[in-house]
């Protein structure tokens, strides 16, 4: 029996642990630095069909309907006049059991950890990774150390494991944007609250979508906001009331009244990956944001984390690990290009250019060939 250590119990680590748990040839242990698995109440996550397909293999389709939502459209609006520009039918990519799904992160994490209680060790912060011949020796800050045949690193965008292995070479960079998140229990006027709404503004966009059938809506705004190196590291800044007020005042919105209803508001700087880190050891792998973190404007981080975890599971099972890195890089590059392009297109400022963008968008959302290329290549892997 092969022993596998997974570091980080986020979406990717929990998902791959569920997959290995079903195979008696592997014994897994999942190490998490926090003292409990974070069930961040509220905030939402969008999952496209590429990840739903894999989640269904561990029973996601059985998750209660009041814990998830299946929007059918993405409605695009302009912040300028609040007029709807056009809509995109996302059901085109759905199949009978795989539908574009939105839900609270806490519902997803709760589902993923349900069958793993005895395999998760909380309060374990990695301190050293020693690659000895075929075995990998892990040491933790609590003084304990263990040996494994495989190591799967899924400790997120600020991956300490990656820093340890790369001698601090693979550090993420600030994306020059802040993310403002919250939950709305009341829908803002004039939006279709049964679907995803994206509002474009100058150096800004926000997205509102339902996360369950109770009418709770997730709000996420991405706003350009340069920060100095010191500010990027200053965690207290993002909880500071004056800073939060200043950021909200910067929102280029005609009507900000609905922001009063925003609950659990949180601001955080968005960090993205700078490069890929190729490992020499075939028994150590990165997944999720530790592999690569994208700008959030294509809503693919969690879906790619799930997809990558599934691919790695299959490649270890079939002993084809050499292919994992190559295939994942290709897909990651495709998603990264689209994420960056979306952010660029969503945040345009010049009125003439935004006018032209809107005309293009109206045409493209009806163009089957374009949709197949831009979304289908990612969603129908
Ligand atoms: C604003 C924003 C909105 C987003 N919206 C979407 C969306 O709608 N759809 C989508 O698909 N994606 C979205 N994403 C991306 C998505 O959230 C991430 O890609 C996904 O959560 C990555 O999962 P992960 O498991 O790799 O990492 P994480 O979820 O970050 O989990 C990492 C885990 O590792 C643990 N850990 C950290 N360090 C250590 C250590 N030293 N030792 C042990 N454990 C450790 C952490 O405590 C944590 O539990 C969004 C991202 C942002 C920033």
């Amino acid at each position: 029996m092969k022993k596998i250590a997974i570091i980080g119990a986020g979406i990717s680590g929990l998902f791959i642990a569920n997959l290995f748990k079903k195979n008696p040839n592997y014994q897994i242990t999942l190490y998490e630095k926090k003292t409990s698995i974070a069930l961040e109440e509220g905030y939402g996550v969008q999952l496209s069909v590429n990840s739903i397909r894999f989640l269904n293999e561990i029973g996601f389709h059985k998750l209660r309907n009041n814990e998830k939502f299946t929007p059918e459209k993405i409605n695009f609006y302009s912040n300028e006049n609040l007029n709807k520009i056009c809509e995109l039918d996302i059901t085109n990519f759905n199949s009978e059991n795989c539908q574009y799904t939105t839900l609270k992160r806490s519902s997803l994490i709760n589902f993923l950890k349900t069958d793993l209680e005895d395999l998760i060790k909380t309060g374990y912060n990695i301190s050293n990774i020693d690659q000895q011949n075929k075995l990998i020796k892990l040491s933790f800050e609590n003084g304990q150390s263990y040996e494994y045949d495989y190591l799967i690193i899924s400790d997120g965008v600020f991956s300490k494991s990656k820093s340890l292995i790369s001698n601090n070479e693979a550090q993420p960079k600030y994306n020059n944007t802040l993310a403002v998140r919250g939950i709305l229990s009341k829908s803002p006027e004039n939006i279709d609250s049964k679907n995803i709404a994206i509002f474009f503004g100058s150096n800004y966009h926000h997205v509102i979508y339902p996360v369950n059938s109770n009418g709770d809506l997730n709000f996420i705004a991405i706003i350009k906001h340069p920060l100095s190196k010191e500010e990027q590291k200053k965690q207290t800044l993002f909880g500071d009331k004056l800073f939060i007020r200043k950021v909200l005042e910067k929102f280029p919105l005609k009507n900000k009244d609905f922001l009063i209803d925003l609950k659990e508001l949180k601001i955080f700087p968005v960090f993205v990956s700078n490069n890929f880190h190729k490992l020499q050891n075939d028994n150590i792998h990165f997944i999720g944001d530790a592999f690569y973190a994208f700008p959030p404007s294509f809503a693919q981080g969690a879906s790619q984390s799930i997809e990558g975890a599934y691919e790695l599971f299959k490649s270890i099972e079939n002993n084809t690990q050499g292919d994992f890195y190559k295939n994942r890089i290709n897909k990651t590059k495709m998603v990264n290009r689209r994420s960056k392009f979306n952010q660029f297109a969503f945040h345009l400022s010049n009125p003439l250019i935004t006018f032209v963008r809107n005309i293009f968008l109206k045409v493209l959302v009806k163009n089957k060939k374009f949709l197949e290329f831009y979304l289908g290549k990612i969603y129908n892997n």
Side-chain angles (χ1 to χ4, degrees):
M1 184 184 286
K2 296 280 185 198
K3 285 173 76 184
I4 303 185
I6 302 167
I7 299 183
I11 294 171
S12 55
L14 289 168
F15 178 60
I16 202 162
N18 274 280
L19 296 171
F20 276 113
K21 195 186 177 207
K22 293 195 296 182
N23 187 326
N25 296 327
Y26 300 97
Q27 187 196 84
I28 45 167
T29 310
L30 184 44
Y31 293 101
E32 167 59 44
K33 85 169 170 189
K34 294 194 186 129
T35 47
S36 64
I37 302 296
L39 286 178
E40 267 181 290
E41 203 29 72
Y43 313 119
V45 64
Q46 302 182 45
L47 295 173
S48 45
V49 288
N50 43 325
S51 56
I52 299 295
R53 186 172 308 125
F54 300 133
L55 282 171
N56 281 347
E57 294 208 10
I58 59 161
F60 185 72
H61 52 285
K62 293 187 209 137
L63 189 73
R64 284 197 313 247
N65 272 341
N66 63 1
E67 287 195 66
K68 56 187 180 186
F69 199 87
T70 50
E72 295 179 345
K73 287 189 285 189
I74 299 178
N75 292 309
F76 296 97
Y77 298 87
S78 156
N79 260 347
E80 275 299 302
N81 43 25
L82 296 182
N83 283 348
K84 182 166 150 181
I85 304 166
C86 57
E87 61 183 55
L88 169 66
D89 182 353
I90 42 174
T91 60
N92 285 329
F93 302 99
N94 290 350
S95 59
E96 200 186 332
N97 297 318
C98 295
Q99 291 159 325
Y100 198 104
T101 302
T102 53
L103 76 168
K104 286 188 178 179
R105 270 166 198 267
S106 53
S107 305
L108 179 61
I109 297 283
N110 207 23
F111 160 76
L112 291 172
K113 79 177 179 96
T114 301
D115 289 336
L116 300 175
E117 299 291 357
D118 50 332
L119 303 174
I120 304 175
K121 288 190 172 198
T122 52
Y124 279 72
N125 191 346
I126 187 82
S127 61
N128 194 41
I129 300 171
D130 191 6
Q131 306 170 49
Q132 312 165 321
N133 303 320
K134 285 252 152 218
L135 285 180
I136 303 148
K137 185 175 171 198
L138 303 182
S139 306
F140 295 90
E141 285 188 352
N142 59 13
Q144 298 182 26
S145 49
Y146 303 95
E147 286 184 336
Y148 288 93
D149 299 296
Y150 294 97
L151 170 62
I152 297 174
I153 296 172
S154 53
D155 52 0
V157 58
F158 300 109
S159 176
K160 186 175 173 188
S161 315
K162 197 175 192 175
S163 300
L164 289 170
I165 287 184
S166 71
N167 290 326
N168 287 324
E169 268 174 30
Q171 296 295 332
K173 62 169 193 240
Y174 179 52
N175 189 43
N176 272 323
T177 50
L178 293 174
V180 182
R181 285 173 167 180
I183 282 284
L184 290 165
S185 40
K186 213 168 83 199
S187 170
E189 269 173 44
N190 302 330
I191 78 154
D192 166 6
S193 60
K194 295 267 178 273
N195 284 300
I196 301 168
I198 303 187
F199 289 79
F200 299 151
S202 168
N203 290 316
Y204 170 93
H205 76 279
H206 77 248
V207 187
I208 297 176
Y209 57 85
V211 283
N212 53 30
S213 49
N214 309 334
D216 291 332
L217 297 164
N218 184 71
F219 173 87
I220 162 110
I222 303 290
I223 184 164
K224 186 170 176 190
H225 191 97
L227 291 172
S228 68
K229 283 262 180 278
E230 288 70 39
E231 286 173 322
Q232 290 169 29
K233 288 185 203 136
K234 201 170 155 198
Q235 279 308 313
T236 50
L237 178 68
F238 309 108
D240 181 81
K241 287 210 168 84
L242 189 66
F243 179 77
I244 295 177
R245 212 176 60 218
K246 272 193 186 158
V247 172
L248 294 184
E249 273 166 13
K250 250 180 88 177
F251 279 15
L253 296 174
K254 268 209 171 133
N255 183 354
K256 296 186 188 173
D257 292 350
F258 73 93
L259 294 175
I260 296 168
D261 295 319
L262 209 54
K263 309 233 161 41
E264 299 176 45
L265 187 140
K266 215 173 178 182
I267 296 192
F268 61 94
V270 178
F271 280 80
V272 294
S273 295
N274 216 355
N275 47 26
F276 296 97
H277 186 70
K278 174 90 176 95
L279 291 167
Q280 301 307 322
N281 188 331
D282 247 5
N283 294 347
I284 303 183
H285 298 278
F286 298 111
I287 52 171
D289 281 6
F291 183 87
Y292 199 91
F294 310 97
S297 7
F298 193 34
Q300 272 294 307
S303 292
Q304 289 305 311
S305 297
I306 290 164
E307 199 180 300
Y310 189 85
E311 284 171 10
L312 178 61
F313 163 69
K314 281 287 167 201
S315 71
I316 292 180
E317 226 186 24
N318 300 331
N319 210 8
T320 54
Q321 291 167 72
D323 298 343
F324 168 73
Y325 183 77
K326 207 170 63 207
N327 294 342
R328 196 79 304 258
I329 280 212
N330 288 341
K331 186 75 181 262
T332 302
K333 284 184 177 166
M334 278 205 286
V335 173
N336 197 37
R337 277 196 294 271
R338 285 159 174 77
S339 304
K340 282 183 172 169
F341 181 75
N342 278 5
Q343 183 170 311
F344 165 77
F346 293 178
H347 286 205
L348 289 171
S349 316
N350 180 301
L352 184 65
I353 298 177
T354 52
F355 176 75
V356 175
R357 173 202 57 202
N358 295 353
I359 294 178
F360 265 103
L361 192 62
K362 279 182 201 173
V363 176
L364 292 175
V365 293
K366 302 270 176 246
N367 184 313
K368 281 210 164 85
K369 271 202 176 140
F370 170 78
L371 294 178
E372 198 36 56
F373 163 76
Y374 201 74
L375 300 176
K377 269 192 159 182
I378 307 298
Y379 293 169
N380 299 329
N381 43 352

